[in-house]
C-alpha cells in the first residue's frame, strides 16, 4: 500500500511509503512523577488523524496522565522503522505484515477493524458493465488490477490468482486506469472518493457492485525494547473496546462514517481473499476486533 502515508490510503495510500501505508511516529518520554509526553508526528493523511484519535482513546482508558505533542514531518516507512528500532521513536502505526512483525512488537488490536482490507475499485466509468457482470470469482480471471510497485497488496492479489499491473509512481495509477492500461485500481474503502476528487481532470468513478475482502490489520508498533509500552497500549485499547469507548470512536469518526456510507459494503457482492503474509499471531478468532458486514 503506498505513497503518502499518514495501507494505503485517501489522497495517498497505505501501500506506499509514509502516507499510504498510513504511518506516523511517536516518541515516548515518561518522567517520574509527572505526565508522560507522547510526541506525535501527524501528516496530512486522514489515517494519521484517525490513529492519533485512537491513541487518545487508548490512553484515556489506562491509569496515568499523558500529553501529546504533535508535529508534522515526512518520513518513509523504512526510516520510521529504523527510528523505532534505534530508540528515536516509541510508537508508529501501519498496515501490518509478517515481515514488519518480525522486526517490531505489534499491538495486536486492529484499529480499523480490518476495514483497510475491504477493497473497492477505481475504474473508468465506461467500464462499469464489465464489473456488473461478475458473478463468481472465476470472472476476475479476465480482469487486470493496478497497484504500486512494492505495495504489499501486489503479492496478496497475485497469491489469490489475480492479474496485477504495477508502476513505481502512485499518480500514474489514476491515468493508467482511465486510459485502459488495466481494468481496476483496488483501494481501501477509506480512500477512493478523496483520491478521485484530487484528480478532477480524469474520468474516474468508484465501481458499484463488488468488494474484495482480506485481513489487513492496522496496528500500533513499538520497539522490541519497549514491551512495557506495548502492554500498556494493548490494555488501553482492550479496555476501550470492552466499555464501548473504542466502537463509539470508530463508528462516529467522519472518515469511517463517510466510507461506510458511500461504499454500501453490505449491498456489494463480496469475495474473500486469503492473505498469506499475515503475522502468525494475528487475532483472527477475536470477532469483536473485526468488522462484520452483517452487523452494519
Amino acid at each position: 500500500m503506498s505513497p503518502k502515508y499518514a495501507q494505503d490510503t485517501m489522497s495517498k495510500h497505505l501501500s506506499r511509503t509514509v502516507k499510504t501505508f498510513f504511518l506516523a511516529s511517536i516518541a515516548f518520554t515518561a518522567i517520574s512523577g509527572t505526565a508522560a509526553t507522547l510526541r506525535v508526528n501527524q501528516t496530512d493523511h486522514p489515517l494519521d488523524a484517525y490513529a492519533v484519535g485512537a491513541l487518545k482513546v487508548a490512553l484515556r482508558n489506562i491509569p496515568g496522565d499523558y500529553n501529546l505533542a504533535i508535529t508534522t514531518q515526512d518520513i518513509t516507512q523504512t526510516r520510521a522503522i529504523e527510528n523505532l528500532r534505534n530508540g528515536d521513536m516509541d510508537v508508529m502505526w501501519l498496515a501490518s505484515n509478517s515481515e514488519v512483525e518480525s522486526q517490531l512488537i505489534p499491538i495486536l488490536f486492529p484499529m480499523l477493524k480490518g476495514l483497510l482490507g475491504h477493497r473497492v475499485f477505481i475504474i473508468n466509468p465506461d467500464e462499469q458493465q464489465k464489473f456488473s457482470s461478475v458473478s463468481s470469482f472465476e470472472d476476475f480471471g479476465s480482469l487486470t488490477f493496478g497497484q504500486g510497485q512494492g505495495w504489499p497488496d501486489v503479492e496478496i492479489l497475485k497469491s489469490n490468482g489475480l492479474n496485477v499491473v504495477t508502476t513505481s509512481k502512485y499518480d500514474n495509477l489514476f491515468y493508467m486506469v482511465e486510459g485502459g492500461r488495466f481494468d481496476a485500481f483496488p483501494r481501501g474503502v477509506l480512500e477512493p472518493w478523496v483520491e478521485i476528487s484530487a484528480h478532477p481532470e480524469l474520468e474516474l468513478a468508484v465501481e458499484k457492485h463488488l468488494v474484495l475482502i482480506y485481513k489487513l490489520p492496522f496496528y500500533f508498533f513499538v520497539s522490541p525494547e519497549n514491551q512495557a509500552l506495548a502492554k500498556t497500549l494493548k490494555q488501553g485499547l482492550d479496555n476501550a473496546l470492552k466499555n464501548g469507548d473504542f466502537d463509539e470512536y470508530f463508528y462516529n469518526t467522519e472518515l469511517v462514517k463517510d466510507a461506510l456510507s458511500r461504499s454500501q459494503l453490505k449491498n456489494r457482492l463480496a469475495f474473500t481473499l486469503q492473505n498469506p503474509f499475515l503475522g502468525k499471531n494475528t487475532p483472527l478468532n477475536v470477532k469483536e476486533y473485526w468488522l462484520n458486514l452483517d452487523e452494519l
Side-chain angles (χ1 to χ4, degrees):
M1 275 182 251
S2 347
K4 204 179 176 186
Y5 185 78
Q7 149 152 59
D8 305 261
T9 166
M10 274 171 118
S11 291
K12 318 283 184 194
H13 177 12
L14 328 317
S15 288
R16 303 187 304 176
T17 50
V18 163
K19 299 176 183 175
T20 309
F21 263 157
F22 305 116
L23 86 91
S25 60
I26 302 170
F28 179 82
T29 306
I31 302 174
S32 179
T34 66
T37 298
L38 303 181
R39 292 179 297 159
V40 181
N41 187 68
Q42 181 177 337
T43 73
D44 60 359
H45 194 288
L47 274 185
D48 270 8
Y50 177 85
V52 169
L55 177 63
K56 292 177 180 178
V57 170
L59 294 178
R60 70 177 176 239
N61 280 278
I62 53 176
D65 295 324
Y66 299 86
N67 296 322
L68 289 182
I70 300 174
T71 59
T72 61
Q73 185 181 16
D74 285 345
I75 55 174
T76 65
Q77 177 187 321
T78 299
R79 176 63 182 275
I81 291 173
E82 290 176 356
N83 287 349
L84 203 65
R85 290 175 63 85
N86 293 337
D88 296 327
M89 297 180 191
D90 287 298
V91 183
M92 59 182 285
W93 46 85
L94 71 162
S96 187
N97 59 52
S98 56
E99 181 180 356
V100 174
E101 291 185 27
S102 70
Q103 302 177 58
L104 307 171
I105 299 178
I107 291 29
L108 298 175
F109 184 104
M111 290 186 285
L112 285 167
K113 289 183 170 286
L115 192 59
L116 208 55
H118 290 64
R119 298 283 158 157
V120 295
F121 309 143
I122 293 177
I123 63 170
N124 183 316
D126 293 340
E127 301 297 318
Q128 177 60 52
Q129 184 53 43
K130 184 183 296 185
F131 296 90
S132 297
S133 64
V134 170
S135 60
S136 69
F137 189 73
E138 287 68 31
D139 294 332
F140 284 107
S142 62
L143 301 174
T144 53
F145 300 89
Q147 292 285 276
Q149 186 175 320
W151 294 2
D153 310 84
V154 173
E155 297 306 320
I156 294 172
L157 297 175
K158 284 184 175 180
S159 71
N160 284 271
L162 299 182
N163 302 311
V164 182
V165 176
T166 63
T167 178
S168 60
K169 294 186 177 180
Y170 164 75
D171 281 331
N172 286 353
L173 289 159
F174 300 96
Y175 292 90
M176 291 170 74
V177 70
E178 186 204 39
R181 297 279 299 279
F182 49 79
D183 297 304
F185 180 17
R187 308 304 286 142
V189 295
L190 300 165
E191 304 167 292
W193 289 275
V194 170
E195 292 178 324
I196 288 173
S197 68
H199 293 84
E201 75 281 9
L202 300 178
E203 290 294 323
L204 299 171
V206 177
E207 195 281 323
K208 302 174 182 178
H209 176 52
L210 305 168
V211 57
L212 297 179
I213 301 174
Y214 47 88
K215 285 290 189 290
L216 188 64
F218 185 60
Y219 291 149
F220 288 120
F221 287 85
V222 303
S223 163
E225 308 301 320
N226 212 342
Q227 295 190 27
L229 178 57
K231 184 177 180 180
T232 295
L233 292 178
K234 179 66 161 57
Q235 188 62 61
L237 290 165
D238 280 335
N239 289 345
L241 185 66
K242 185 176 181 179
N243 66 29
D245 197 12
F246 186 83
D247 279 356
E248 178 74 15
Y249 172 70
F250 175 78
Y251 286 108
N252 289 287
T253 300
E254 284 303 314
L255 177 68
V256 174
K257 286 173 61 177
D258 184 63
L260 293 178
S261 174
R262 289 192 178 198
S263 63
Q264 294 294 300
L265 291 176
K266 194 172 182 179
N267 299 326
R268 291 174 177 265
L269 180 60
F271 295 93
T272 300
L273 306 185
Q274 297 301 310
N275 179 356
F277 307 102
L278 283 174
K280 64 180 180 180
N281 295 317
T282 304
L284 298 175
N285 296 325
V286 185
K287 63 183 181 62
E288 295 83 4
Y289 282 174
W290 305 97
L291 187 71
N292 185 340
L293 295 186
D294 293 333
E295 295 177 358
L296 291 178

